[in-house]
């Protein structure tokens, strides 16, 4: 019997993206540049995170016309963002045949208490996390892929580093614990107990975990891989740089060959300036997207 | 037995685990040096467009073709099958152009249409779990290609001499029968040609 939208099918889709770069794009032209550079998928948006910051106000799901335009332009998978807890935005994107939905803190949350019950959908979801508790709660709700949050639209890698280190350190701790310690650890982390048991058994998270939020250079992307990310999301970094084509290619290469430092030196030459970054300490707390998610 | 897995992008870890669980050595192939001394090469699932770009950039396309000329068995799953094919519907140029099949990409639809099902395959067995993710299928085959399995009237598993290709992802399941079948192909591969492959 043919089974659609099973856990294997949804998580498997993310497995196929491993070692790759997923790029934010706002139109068909950018999507084609991303595909030509070797992106494994594109995220169709109305604005990249740094422009969402500038614009202020409420950030919502993109105009379906933009999503459609991007889907028609490329043969690689297309992702799109829905607001946290916005059941209808998610269902709309699913009905359009989007390949993956990002229940994203980059958009203004629609629900400040509950996330989507992602296990109910045929389309797979990716969600942000800053620690293992958050990661495990999202998996518990049915997320098929994770990404550490970082701080989107800042071009500053510091939060992304903090989050991937934290998640991986907590995974290592769980793997090293005795079974009789896991229930208390579940309570401390706010994580479903069964998931911690699964993580201990597997020796890793049961889903693919990319890094996001602040990748601005090829070296940043390689750093995320070095710290144990399965791949990288690049938002504002590419199309806010001086030379998007070259930049996109360099980020893809640095992600694949993240330990080849000579190569990274080579591809980083004369890339032009990356996006202008923001010092996180100057960001008022209410402008930090990473705090969104419960 | 040394089985390489092309490790530019995609489901590399899963293939490596299957190969190791069958008692063979698994080599991650990222650059030219990794190709020496292999008894077989697996081309994994992933994004074929991305893998092709990286094959070009790291000049792996021709060395892999050379390995193929030496007779080294190759196993492509999903995107890997697309890389092996001689012809791709809607594309002027295929990639490695080794296996005499015509492939259509994303032919079962987008991700929401992706599915899993159990299939039967000649020479391999019944109830093989097959996970189809934005999967391609084989539209037509050359005279020397054996069709091993079909689903819904479409060819999803085929063999041509040293090449084995499937449009689904055996690596996402715990069923290792297809990998065992491929490793047996690699075992039958003559050691004389293996000596030559060391000189690549």
């Amino acid at each position: 019997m043919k089974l659609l939208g099973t856990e294997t099918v949804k998580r498997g889709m993310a497995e196929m993206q491993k070692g790759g770069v997923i790029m934010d794009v706002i139109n068909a032209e950018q999507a084609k540049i991303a595909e030509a550079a070797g992106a494994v998928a594109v995220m169709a948006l109305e604005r990249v995170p740094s422009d969402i910051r500038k614009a202020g106000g409420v950030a919502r799901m993109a105009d379906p016309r933009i999503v459609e335009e991007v889907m028609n332009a490329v043969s690689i998978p297309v992702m799109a963002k829905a607001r946290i807890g916005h059941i209808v935005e998610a269902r709309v994107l699913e009905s359009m045949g989007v390949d993956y939905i990002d229940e994203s803190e980059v958009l203004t949350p629609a629900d400040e208490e509950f996330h989507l019950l992602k296990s109910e959908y045929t389309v797979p979801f990716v969600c942000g996390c800053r620690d293992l508790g958050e990661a495990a709660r999202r998996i518990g709700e049915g997320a098929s892929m994770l990404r550490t949050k970082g701080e989107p639209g800042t071009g500053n890698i510091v939060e992304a580093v903090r989050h991937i280190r934290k998640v991986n350190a907590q995974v290592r701790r769980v793997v090293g614990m005795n079974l009789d310690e896991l229930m208390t650890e579940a309570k401390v982390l706010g994580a479903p107990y069964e998931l911690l048991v699964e993580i201990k058994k597997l020796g890793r998270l049961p889903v693919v975990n990319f890094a996001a939020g602040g990748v601005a250079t090829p070296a940043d992307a390689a750093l995320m891989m070095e710290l144990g990310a399965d791949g990288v999301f690049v938002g504002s970094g590419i199309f806010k740089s001086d030379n998007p084509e070259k930049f996109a290619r360099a980020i893809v290469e640095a992600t694949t060959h993240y330990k080849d430092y000579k190569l990274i030196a080579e591809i980083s030459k004369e890339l032009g300036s990356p996006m202008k970054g923001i010092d996180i300490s100057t960001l008022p707390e209410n402008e930090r997207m990473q705090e969104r998610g419960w | 037995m040394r089985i390489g897995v092309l490790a530019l992008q995609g489901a590399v870890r899963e293939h490596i685990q299957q190969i190791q669980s069958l008692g063979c050595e698994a080599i991650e192939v990222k650059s030219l040096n990794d190709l020496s001394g292999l008894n077989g090469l697996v081309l994994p699932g992933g994004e074929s467009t991305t893998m092709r770009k990286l094959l070009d950039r790291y000049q792996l396309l021709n060395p892999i073709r050379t390995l193929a000329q030496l007779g080294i068995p190759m196993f492509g799953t999903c995107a890997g099958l697309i890389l092996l094919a001689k012809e791709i519907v809607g594309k002027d140029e295929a990639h490695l152009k080794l296996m005499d099949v015509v492939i259509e990409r994303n032919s079962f639809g987008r991700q929401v249409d992706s599915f899993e099902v159990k299939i039967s395959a000649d020479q391999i067995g019944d109830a093989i779990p097959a996970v189809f993710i934005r999967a391609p299928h084989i539209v037509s085959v050359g005279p020397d290609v054996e069709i091993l399995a079909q689903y819904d009237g479409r060819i999803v598993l085929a063999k041509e001499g040293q090449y084995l290709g499937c449009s689904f992802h055996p690596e996402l399941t715990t069923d290792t029968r297809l990998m065992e079948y491929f490793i047996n192909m690699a075992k039958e591969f003559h050691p004389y040609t293996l000596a030559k492959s060391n000189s690549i």
Side-chain angles (χ1 to χ4, degrees), chain B residues 123-141:
Chain B
Q123 304 173 33
I124 294 161
D126 293 328
I128 298 166
V131 184
F132 290 82
I133 295 176
R134 289 169 44 94
H137 87 284
I138 300 172
V139 180
S140 63
V141 299

Side-chain angles (χ1 to χ4, degrees), chain A:
Chain A
M1 206 183 62
K2 178 175 165 176
L3 300 168
L4 292 167
T6 60
E7 193 175 272
T8 310
V9 166
K10 293 200 284 186
R11 290 183 180 181
M13 161 76 200
E15 300 288 345
M16 298 310 137
Q17 305 266 298
K18 272 183 308 194
V21 181
I22 299 171
M23 300 181 191
D24 279 0
V25 299
I26 59 164
N27 54 37
E29 183 200 352
Q30 289 189 354
K32 283 182 180 151
I33 292 173
E35 185 177 46
V40 289
V42 289
M43 177 77 71
L45 289 165
E46 204 155 313
R47 294 191 189 99
V48 295
S50 65
D51 287 337
I52 290 176
R53 279 190 190 286
K54 270 186 220 143
V58 175
R60 310 178 179 91
M61 171 184 86
D63 181 335
R65 200 191 51 78
I66 293 177
V67 178
E68 211 171 66
E69 176 186 321
V70 170
M71 285 169 67
N72 292 334
V74 293
S75 68
I76 54 176
V78 176
M79 303 185 167
K81 288 184 195 289
R83 282 181 267 178
I84 291 173
H86 204 306
I87 300 165
V88 174
E89 282 188 354
R91 287 295 185 193
V92 165
L93 291 171
E94 181 180 52
S95 78
M96 293 177 63
V98 161
D99 294 300
Y100 236 92
I101 297 177
D102 185 356
E103 186 185 19
S104 179
E105 71 281 2
V106 168
L107 305 181
T108 311
D111 191 324
E112 294 196 331
E113 199 173 353
F114 302 111
H115 282 253
L116 295 166
L117 186 58
K118 293 163 280 285
S119 54
E120 297 283 294
Y121 295 70
T122 305
V123 67
F125 280 83
V126 55
C127 285
C129 62
R130 287 174 302 172
D131 55 45
L132 183 55
E134 203 173 10
R137 290 194 296 279
R138 298 297 84 84
I139 298 170
E141 293 153 357
S144 309
M145 180 182 187
L146 294 168
R147 51 173 177 75
T148 47
K149 286 178 174 174
E151 188 54 48
T154 60
N156 187 339
I157 200 69
V158 66
E159 295 301 299
V161 168
R162 191 190 319 280
H163 299 157
I164 193 94
R165 275 199 184 272
K166 182 151 192 195
V167 170
N168 287 340
Q170 289 175 320
V171 167
R172 283 196 300 275
R173 187 179 139 85
V174 165
V175 172
M177 281 181 140
N178 289 329
L179 271 176
D180 60 7
E181 296 168 332
L182 288 185
M183 186 58 84
T184 298
E185 186 69 2
K187 179 180 142 193
V188 172
L189 292 174
Y193 167 75
E194 292 72 17
L195 263 167
L196 296 193
V197 175
E198 191 183 355
I199 289 166
K200 179 174 169 55
K201 221 181 277 170
L202 286 171
R204 58 173 171 82
L205 287 166
V207 300
V208 166
N209 185 24
F210 272 45
V215 173
T217 66
D220 285 348
L223 174 62
M224 292 293 99
M225 298 301 285
E226 180 73 44
L227 293 176
D230 290 318
V232 181
F233 278 90
V234 187
S236 321
I238 290 168
F239 292 99
K240 288 287 162 191
S241 71
D242 282 352
N243 186 343
E245 278 99 347
K246 207 170 162 194
F247 221 87
R249 270 203 312 273
I251 290 204
V252 170
E253 285 191 53
T255 304
T256 311
H257 291 270
Y258 63 93
K259 282 187 186 292
D260 188 340
Y261 309 117
K262 277 191 181 146
L263 178 101
I264 296 172
E266 207 48 49
I267 59 182
S268 301
K269 283 178 189 164
E270 293 169 7
L271 270 184
S273 22
M275 66 180 284
K276 189 173 178 300
I278 300 174
D279 184 342
I280 305 292
S281 61
T282 64
L283 262 189
E285 203 150 312
N286 63 0
E287 287 180 22
R288 291 194 189 187
M289 294 171 174
Q290 60 174 280
E291 311 291 337
R292 302 163 170 175
W294 10 95

Side-chain angles (χ1 to χ4, degrees), chain B residues 75-135:
Chain B
F75 178 20
T77 64
C78 194
L81 168 64
I82 297 172
L83 293 180
L84 281 179
K86 276 202 175 145
E87 207 183 315
I88 302 165
V89 174
K91 281 213 166 199
D92 297 338
E93 263 306 274
H95 307 300
L96 290 164
K97 291 183 271 189
L98 295 170
M99 189 171 175
D100 195 6
V101 294
V102 179
I103 294 285
E104 187 179 340
R105 298 177 61 212
N106 297 340
S107 54
F108 293 89
R110 301 192 72 96
Q111 172 59 22
V112 285
D113 309 305
S114 295
F115 61 98
E116 54 180 309
V117 73
K118 295 236 160 81
I119 60 166
S120 297
D122 287 352
Q123 304 173 33
I124 294 161
D126 293 328
I128 298 166
V131 184
F132 290 82
I133 295 176
R134 289 169 44 94

